[in-house]
Amino acid sequence: MKTDEEIVKVQKEYCDYIIELIKKPDFPMKLQNLNTLITKYYEFCKKYQVDPFYKPLNSALSTIFITDCKPLLFDIDPTALNLAIIHLQEVIENNQNNLQDGIFPDEANLLMNYIVQNTRKNFIEYFHVDLNTESLKGCCKLSQEISLNLCKTLGLSITVNDDTIFTNRETPSHFFGTVAIPVKENLKITIRYYLVDVTYRQFFSLNNCHAGLELFNYSSLPDVGYYMMKKEEQKLLAEDLLKNGFIPLDTNAAKEYGMGFIMKYFHTVPEIVLEYQEMAPSNFLEKILNQEKELILTTEKLNRLGYHIEIPTQEKKL
């Protein structure tokens, strides 16, 4: 039987070894090795009934992500963007009474890219962060305000969302949104919905996404990313959202996205998980598109605070 002093000594040795491994340059199987070590460490803590929390270890783990997908940052052709915005203005004018016109699919994608790039550049310029290493944890509300205010400035319809629609909880822990764009393709005009979540990466740090956490009765761990990476369809959706900051939103995407938040409660509130697993995908989409939340800040307020909510065209007034 180990003494308390021996247990504390071994626990610190475990933590220090994992931290040293984290500091090493990337090498083949690094993430897999870290996962194995962390799980063994948590098994040790479970066996000897000690709290696995160790601040230096948690801080180090928060800098490692369970997927290589990083936010895409690229230059957008200002001329093409200007033309897409002008076309959108014309479409909005034509659709004042009913849906009879739409922009082209590539223009819709260009606008979505600009909305995300503008949001990401605000974080880079205002907070001086490196998005390759920064998770933007705790910044989802600000991200929502910046991205959706830009959508509104473009004249697009939005929904302001939080994760309470997936958890039945009163207090939200994550904020995102959707935007609706009229699109014309092959002479057919439809409304395309996009889910916007620029800070989704905060749910994919190794600190909160490893199997060891399932050994302890925490209220909402492991995190969303842990479950999203277990199923191929959810993994592909997550990787697209992590890279692009938005995804096309249909019934299947709505359920896959929502189930990530619901699975957080797999060990503590299994009845909620079962309820949502059996729910039709169309119900997830309805929940998202019918959530009635409001933005807190206006475009003018954000600009006064030093953020940039800009439309790069002077051809027409929006």
Side-chain angles (χ1 to χ4, degrees), residues 87-102:
H87 191 191
L88 176 64
Q89 291 176 275
E90 295 170 350
V91 165
I92 291 174
E93 291 175 3
N94 293 338
N95 290 343
Q96 286 183 350
N97 296 320
N98 52 65
L99 183 64
Q100 56 183 342
D101 198 3

Side-chain angles (χ1 to χ4, degrees), residues 22 33 35 49 78 89 91 107 111 113 121 150 156 158 165-166 176 178 205 231 234 242 261 263 277 285 304 312-313:
I22 290 171
N33 288 339
N35 262 310
Q49 299 182 337
Q89 291 176 275
V91 165
E107 292 177 319
L111 290 176
N113 279 328
K121 287 182 178 179
L150 182 54
L156 297 169
I158 63 170
I165 53 175
F166 304 130
F176 62 99
T178 75
S205 72
K231 181 180 174 184
Q234 286 182 307
L242 289 168
F261 292 94
M263 288 299 295
Q277 282 177 331
L285 184 61
R304 287 200 301 271
T313 176

